[in-house]
Amino acid sequence: MVSSVPSSLSAQERAHLVQAVKDWAAANGLAIRPPPSIASQDVDPAGALAIHAPVTLFPSRFPRKCYNQAQSVQESYNELYARISSDEEFLSGLVSELADVDDFVAGLWKVHEKVKAEGYTQDLSLGLFRSDYMVHEHDSDLHVKQVEFNTIASSFGGLSAQTALLHRYLAETEYPLLQQGWKELDVPKSESVEVLARGIEAAFREYVRASNAPEGTVQRPRCVLFITQTGERNIFDQRHLEYQVEKSDPRIPVFRLPFAEVLEHTRVVEGAKRELIYTLPWSREWPQPSEYEVAVVYYRAGYGPGDYPTEEAWQARYQIERASAIKCPTILTQLAGMKKVQQVLATPEDVGGSSIHGRFITGLPDVSSLMGTFTNIYPMDTSPAGLEARKKATDAVLCQDYVLKPQREGGGNNIYRSAIPDFLKSIPETHWGSYILMELITPPPAENIILRNGQLEEGGIISELGIYGTCLWNKEKVLHNEGGGYLLRTKGDKSEEGGVAAGFGCMDSVRLVD
């Protein structure tokens, strides 16, 4: 097992590093709101407390060639998913397979069809993407294999950048002082915040350019609207991006609005354009404006059924979708992130028959490298490939090599290995088709120390690399396409899930090794 920790780290050195990490995290916004197990509402009724984000004491070793492979294909992935999002016919076919067994997918599609019937007023789409990978070891060779592609609420751009800065700081100041001192570590910076902010800024500028009214017309100031979840614990991650966008010259106003309050504080101006108007929750008098025209809507909510507990929530999504603001993402782009899409792209041709690859990848740069990141994924429907997958999923031995995934973003939704057969027995067989079966990726063994809620956890780890990308497009062309920055999430090797906000994983950064 390869360790990222010095072999003779003493208790005194551990305590010193823990204090250094906690102080740096507090001073630099590497933080989250505490979970109820740490600070209940009785303890912190005003929501004033913050704690360090769970983080490794050391950057984890990561193969340089795998890191470079993942970075090199991000712009191709951006354009690939822009093309998929623009192909309504393709998405419609997949949705039709899922609508009867997945109410959430069906609900999103109904909103799209309702807006389509009256006519979309905005042909531009913005994607703030993250492509997630794990290192796969096969016959002593290492490659990155894609775990999933995120098209909505691609989180941790802010905290990932700070984590890389933390480990770079420790490499310069603290690691050389250890008994087994390290003089140099190759820990790349993560420019994730800058990359994501440039995507939002590109969309904002394009909206302003395309919608400037004739001279003499009274115009409201434009803004960017972050749609958030109520009680968001991962708020500082979002704030880092918000503050970066507001550094633009001229400044771009950014406001945060809980998804549950969209109908209360926004409205659509009926007419050919259908501008989305955001009204400040508090009253303001001239010369300070109280109303803004929303140029860009950035969703950090709305990605799962829990965000739509009432019909009013669906009405809120419809209100934004029909407006002229550039959405990140549109409903079609969100649906492009379905696991079913990933499965269709990656299903081996000898199992699934004719491949859909050519429909989308023709003309993309670096196609062979991109396809090299695909791992084997199978449908769970009644097609030949699906029937073969069902045999594997229900077999007590064969299922050990697989994970079952629903069409969901966010951690905590997957079913692993031996739990798959019993789970499938617990749901109607007619619902099996809403899942995909994915071969487990087998990373090389590794070790690190995780600092979580002030306590150390040491042992085997598994890491997942995320590469960020931004894309602004319409059906005719791509106006902005950029990849860069990274996230490394690490979890104990006994944990099945890796979500940091969900309490499973932690923040990490890469220590590149040859």
Side-chain angles (χ1 to χ4, degrees):
M1 183 170 289
V2 178
S3 178
S4 298
V5 181
S7 58
S8 57
L9 195 64
S10 68
Q12 190 174 20
E13 288 173 321
R14 289 168 190 262
H16 179 76
L17 282 177
V18 165
Q19 193 60 51
V21 168
K22 290 192 295 186
D23 291 348
W24 194 98
N28 292 274
L30 181 53
I32 59 174
R33 295 292 186 199
S37 59
I38 299 297
S40 67
Q41 189 171 6
D42 291 339
V43 173
D44 184 26
L49 297 181
I51 61 173
H52 68 83
V55 65
T56 56
L57 286 193
F58 298 90
S60 291
R61 294 166 59 91
F62 200 91
R64 187 185 307 274
K65 76 166 189 175
C66 293
Y67 176 82
N68 290 340
Q69 179 191 5
Q71 289 280 8
S72 70
V73 298
Q74 185 59 41
E75 290 185 12
S76 293
Y77 262 120
N78 292 345
E79 187 167 347
L80 171 61
Y81 274 82
R83 293 180 180 185
I84 293 170
S85 302
S86 301
D87 196 326
E88 184 194 13
E89 179 186 9
F90 169 68
L91 292 173
S92 176
L94 298 186
V95 168
S96 66
E97 297 179 27
L98 301 170
D100 290 340
V101 295
D102 194 317
D103 292 340
F104 180 59
V105 169
L108 289 173
W109 191 255
K110 286 178 182 176
V111 173
H112 160 67
E113 288 191 316
K114 188 176 180 181
V115 177
K116 180 184 175 185
E118 63 179 332
Y120 275 91
T121 62
Q122 178 59 258
D123 66 349
L124 286 174
S125 300
L126 174 63
L128 267 58
F129 300 139
R130 196 187 72 222
S131 186
D132 293 338
Y133 306 90
M134 291 175 65
V135 175
H136 181 61
E137 185 174 36
H138 180 68
D139 293 336
S140 300
D141 199 9
L142 301 175
H143 300 278
V144 288
K145 294 294 184 181
Q146 189 183 64
V147 177
E148 63 182 354
F149 193 89
N150 301 277
T151 63
I152 182 170
S154 302
S155 59
F156 292 112
L159 294 193
S160 63
Q162 297 306 106
T163 304
L165 292 176
L166 164 67
H167 286 144
R168 289 168 65 89
Y169 166 79
L170 294 174
E172 293 175 357
T173 61
E174 302 295 344
Y175 299 156
L177 302 179
L178 302 175
Q179 294 182 54
Q180 186 182 327
W182 289 345
K183 292 184 178 179
E184 292 185 10
L185 297 180
D186 191 352
V187 180
K189 288 183 179 179
S190 176
E191 296 184 345
S192 47
V193 172
E194 291 87 349
V195 168
L196 296 173
R198 283 195 291 268
I200 293 176
E201 291 162 15
F204 183 89
R205 289 193 299 270
E206 187 61 26
Y207 182 92
V208 171
R209 185 200 66 77
S211 61
N212 273 334
E215 187 175 351
T217 304
V218 176
Q219 288 185 315
R220 299 176 182 88
R222 279 65 173 256
C223 73
V224 172
L225 195 60
F226 281 31
I227 303 298
T228 63
Q229 291 180 320
T230 302
E232 176 65 68
R233 290 180 50 232
N234 193 30
I235 186 172
F236 302 106
D237 174 59
Q238 300 171 13
R239 287 291 195 183
H240 283 300
L241 177 55
E242 176 185 336
Y243 299 152
Q244 184 66 34
V245 172
E246 289 188 321
K247 289 179 182 177
S248 301
D249 187 13
R251 175 181 169 270
I252 297 176
V254 179
F255 298 103
R256 299 172 59 84
L257 180 64
F259 193 30
E261 299 177 17
V262 165
L263 295 180
E264 182 181 355
H265 298 298
T266 70
R267 73 179 194 278
V268 172
V269 178
E270 297 301 337
K273 185 180 176 184
R274 297 204 294 267
E275 299 96 330
L276 182 66
I277 305 302
Y278 170 68
T279 303
L280 294 178
W282 51 91
S283 177
R284 294 294 297 269
E285 301 296 335
W286 188 90
Q288 296 297 326
S290 62
E291 289 190 341
Y292 289 77
E293 180 180 341
V294 181
V296 180
V297 173
Y298 171 51
Y299 282 100
R300 290 297 291 259
Y303 52 81
D307 287 325
Y308 300 84
T310 64
E311 183 57 36
E312 285 73 19
W314 287 108
Q315 184 65 25
R317 186 64 186 268
Y318 165 67
Q319 176 158 295
I320 294 174
E321 192 73 9
R322 69 188 293 262
S324 63
I326 297 175
K327 271 74 70 177
C328 180
T330 64
I331 282 178
L332 290 182
T333 304
Q334 180 173 347
L335 289 170
M338 293 186 298
K339 302 301 184 292
K340 186 68 177 177
V341 171
Q342 187 187 9
Q343 171 258 303
V344 170
L345 291 173
T347 295
E349 293 187 61
D350 58 349
V351 175
S354 61
S355 172
I356 198 72
H357 294 162
R359 184 165 179 168
F360 297 113
I361 69 173
T362 301
L364 288 178
D366 212 4
V367 167
S368 59
S369 293
L370 182 146
M371 292 182 63
T373 65
F374 291 170
T375 192
N376 290 336
I377 306 176
Y378 306 90
M380 284 290 289
D381 54 23
T382 55
S383 67
L387 294 175
E388 183 65 26
R390 290 183 177 202
K391 290 180 182 178
K392 295 174 180 177
T394 54
D395 186 282
V397 176
L398 296 179
C399 70
Q400 300 296 327
D401 296 325
Y402 294 91
V403 54
L404 191 71
K405 293 187 173 185
Q407 315 298 321
R408 293 283 181 272
E409 299 286 353
N413 296 307
N414 301 331
I415 300 94
Y416 289 81
R417 301 184 180 88
S418 59
I420 296 174
D422 286 342
F423 173 79
L424 290 174
K425 291 177 183 177
S426 73
I427 63 174
E429 191 169 333
T430 54
H431 288 202
W432 291 10
S434 64
Y435 291 81
I436 58 99
L437 190 70
M438 179 177 178
E439 270 188 18
L440 285 169
I441 301 168
T442 55
E447 290 184 336
N448 207 330
I449 301 175
I450 296 171
L451 176 64
R452 188 191 312 278
N453 300 329
Q455 304 297 316
L456 294 181
E457 306 167 6
E458 184 170 5
I461 59 164
I462 297 174
S463 296
E464 189 172 299
L465 177 71
I467 305 297
Y468 293 94
T470 60
C471 195
L472 178 68
W473 74 93
N474 57 28
K475 290 185 177 181
E476 284 71 43
K477 61 182 178 179
V478 173
L479 285 75
H480 173 91
N481 186 359
E482 183 181 11
Y486 72 91
L487 159 71
L488 194 70
R489 286 178 297 178
T490 290
K491 63 181 181 180
D493 59 7
K494 299 298 188 288
S495 173
E496 301 285 26
E497 296 288 353
V500 177
F504 302 106
C506 76
M507 303 301 299
D508 197 351
S509 54
V510 300
R511 171 190 172 189
L512 297 178
V513 294
D514 295 312

